[in-house]
Amino acid sequence: MANSNDFNPADNIQDLQYFGEFGGVNPSISDSSTYTFLSAKTMFDTFEGDAEGCYLYSRHSSPSNLYLGEALAAMEGTETANVAATGMGAIVPALLQLCCAGDHIVSSRTIYGGTYAFLKNFAPKLNINTAFVDITDIDKVEAAITKNTKVIFCETVSNPLLEVADIAELSKLAKKHGVKLLVDNTFSPLSVSPAKFGADVVLHSLTKFINGSSDTMGGVMCGTQEFIDELRNVNDGASMLMGASMDSMRAASILKNLRTLHIRVKQHSKNAMYLAEKFQNDGLKTVYPGLASHPSHEKFKKMMNAEYGYGGMLTVDVGNLDKANELMELMQERNLGYLAVSLGFYKTLFSAPGTSTSSEIPEEEQAEMGLTDGLIRFSIGLDNNIERTYKMMRECMLKVGVL
Ligand SMILES: *Cc1c(COP(=O)(O)O)cnc(C)c1O
């Protein structure tokens, strides 16, 4: 990155310009799974990876997927990017491209349930083993690194505990030990730009804030041209061979939604900040990186692109699962949001992670990391009048007796 002070992820997206085939203001959608070649020689070269600008087969790449990938690379400030059918379809190939049998990963212990389950239960079948650590304790992270370690994996803001990783510190550590730092930035698009602080690969589930309309799945890995080329290699590229490629139609629709991400993120952040302050003042155990009471508030503040705020995710601990369930059902009944997993929707979404998205994590480990069963994870929506929402939520909380 030339000058990181000038770096603004939304401006970088805005500056891109792609016209459609007939001068359309949106790029044409490549509605094809396969592509013709004028000469047999070019087809051969494309297989060898030597034919610039030629398309072969849409599992490898397609014009629509490349447009979206380049926009996401511009957002994250990496050389390039590769989109995938889902977030897991980006995370798993990225890890497997970097790790062989016998290799080792150091991962944050508070990560998305699916990633955790992959590292804990699936990767060991390939003899890739993972040490799970408290990612906010840099000494513990370093102590877990072995001579076989290839990757440090974390989320900028962790799911569901909203712990904040110090990307610059972790990057320094990764470089010292010659390992790669992979950062899942799904919870904090625009707010934090991990590559700016030395992350080697930045991953997203596009299913969440980036697409923002809970109508599709998607994923992306943003990194160097060399790494993305390796992933797409027809002979041994994990993205190419594991097959989680995005459909071109979806790439086109996600690109259109990406253009309003900055407006949405600002509104999610504004609403979440408002509710977090209110909930905390009401005496609820509230976790939000924007609150001064958050253990990593200063760390987040130092990393953030300030105008986008602290993001849309917050948690409240209401004591026990029964109360959590009662409250969520009542809030849904009063149309304040939906009892649903996932995040980044226009409507508030809430779930109890201990029994849903993090249920892959054994109960005793949940307890150790502070994941209590009364914890409600909120993805705060784009509500136009958040004061009104707060008043109605407060009524629900009084009714079920958590206030
Ligand atoms: C949802 C999610 C994923 C997985 O993405 P999918 O699109 O569901 O495959 C990975 N990481 C985080 C932080 C997520 O929230």
Side-chain angles (χ1 to χ4, degrees):
M1 224 159 294
N3 182 348
S4 61
N5 293 327
D6 291 340
F7 181 78
N8 187 309
D11 292 351
N12 290 354
I13 296 170
Q14 180 93 34
D15 287 346
L16 295 169
Q17 192 179 51
Y18 305 122
F19 293 115
E21 197 178 355
F22 303 103
V25 295
N26 289 303
S28 305
I29 300 174
S30 50
D31 191 21
S32 296
S33 58
T34 190
Y35 299 83
T36 58
F37 290 88
L38 289 176
S39 82
K41 169 82 169 64
T42 323
M43 181 183 274
F44 174 79
D45 290 345
T46 305
F47 265 100
E48 298 290 299
D50 297 335
E52 242 341 93
C54 282
Y55 297 96
L56 176 69
Y57 185 61
S58 286
R59 174 153 44 76
H60 180 258
S61 66
S62 73
S64 298
N65 287 15
L66 291 190
Y67 287 136
L68 177 60
E70 290 318 307
L72 291 163
M75 178 181 91
E76 288 298 356
T78 59
E79 281 175 22
T80 188
N82 187 49
V83 295
T86 67
M88 290 305 290
I91 294 167
V92 170
L95 289 168
L96 293 184
Q97 194 68 38
L98 294 166
C99 298
C100 303
D103 287 344
H104 179 257
I105 295 168
V106 175
S107 170
S108 165
R109 62 184 185 177
T110 58
I111 50 173
Y112 176 67
T115 313
Y116 180 86
F118 173 75
L119 291 173
K120 176 98 176 173
N121 306 326
F122 197 102
K125 295 198 274 188
L126 310 172
N127 195 23
I128 297 168
N129 292 295
T130 301
F132 294 97
V133 297
D134 176 353
I135 204 74
T136 63
D137 185 337
I138 206 82
D139 294 333
K140 287 219 175 98
V141 178
E142 182 157 35
I145 296 174
T146 73
K147 66 180 196 322
N148 296 327
T149 305
K150 291 289 183 319
V151 167
I152 299 174
F153 183 90
C154 69
E155 295 171 0
T156 312
V157 178
S158 80
N159 179 43
L161 294 178
L162 311 183
E163 290 175 346
V164 178
D166 190 328
I167 311 287
E169 282 288 312
L170 290 167
S171 163
K172 242 195 289 173
L173 196 63
K175 287 190 172 62
K176 178 175 160 194
H177 292 272
V179 307
K180 298 286 183 205
L181 175 62
L182 271 57
V183 179
D184 180 339
N185 200 31
T186 300
F187 275 30
S188 45
L190 302 182
S191 295
V192 180
S193 306
K196 204 162 95 174
F197 303 103
D200 295 292
V201 181
V202 182
L203 301 149
H204 279 281
S205 166
L206 306 178
T207 316
K208 314 297 172 48
F209 289 102
I210 290 180
N211 183 62
S213 48
S214 294
D215 57 350
T216 188
M217 312 221 43
V220 70
M221 51 274 264
C222 304
T224 61
Q225 187 70 52
E226 188 187 0
F227 182 61
I228 300 302
D229 286 347
E230 281 169 21
L231 282 163
R232 286 196 193 124
N233 188 296
V234 293
N235 293 308
D236 61 3
S239 288
M240 179 65 183
L241 299 177
M242 294 178 73
S245 305
M246 178 175 276
D247 182 73
S248 293
M249 296 285 192
R250 279 312 191 183
S253 71
I254 295 171
L255 179 63
K256 285 177 269 187
N257 286 359
L258 177 65
R259 293 169 180 159
T260 58
L261 180 65
H262 58 297
I263 302 168
R264 290 185 280 114
V265 166
K266 286 176 193 176
Q267 187 76 10
H268 284 299
S269 290
K270 177 174 160 257
N271 287 351
M273 188 75 212
Y274 181 88
L275 290 179
E277 280 177 341
K278 290 288 186 192
F279 291 161
Q280 180 170 262
N281 288 343
D282 287 339
L284 287 165
K285 243 169 96 182
T286 311
V287 174
Y288 183 65
L291 294 175
S293 61
H294 189 288
S296 302
H297 173 66
E298 289 303 323
K299 203 192 311 173
F300 193 108
K301 204 164 154 183
K302 216 172 66 193
M303 287 197 291
M304 79 194 289
N305 299 312
E307 67 185 291
Y308 304 105
Y310 294 89
M313 303 302 294
L314 67 85
T315 68
V316 172
D317 191 341
V318 298
N320 63 64
L321 184 61
D322 288 340
K323 284 264 181 268
N325 288 342
E326 210 184 326
L327 177 60
M328 291 190 293
E329 284 168 12
L330 185 60
M331 287 191 297
Q332 173 159 264
E333 202 179 292
R334 298 195 177 174
N335 199 17
L336 287 164
Y338 299 138
L339 174 47
V341 299
S342 201
L343 40 131
F345 199 35
Y346 84 99
K347 198 97 174 171
T348 294
L349 301 178
F350 32 78
S351 57
T355 52
S356 60
T357 51
S358 296
S359 58
E360 291 92 340
I361 303 170
E363 267 173 45
E364 64 279 6
E365 284 176 44
Q366 290 193 19
E368 200 192 306
M369 62 179 69
L371 209 175
T372 52
D373 67 0
L375 195 76
I376 302 178
R377 183 187 79 176
F378 286 82
S379 163
I380 303 301
L382 298 172
D383 308 31
N384 178 53
N385 184 345
I386 198 66
E387 288 140 61
R388 169 173 165 265
T389 301
Y390 166 67
K391 283 189 193 123
M392 290 168 72
M393 283 185 172
R394 192 162 190 277
E395 277 169 27
C396 296
M397 288 171 172
L398 286 166
K399 180 132 194 257
V400 303
V402 305
L403 280 185

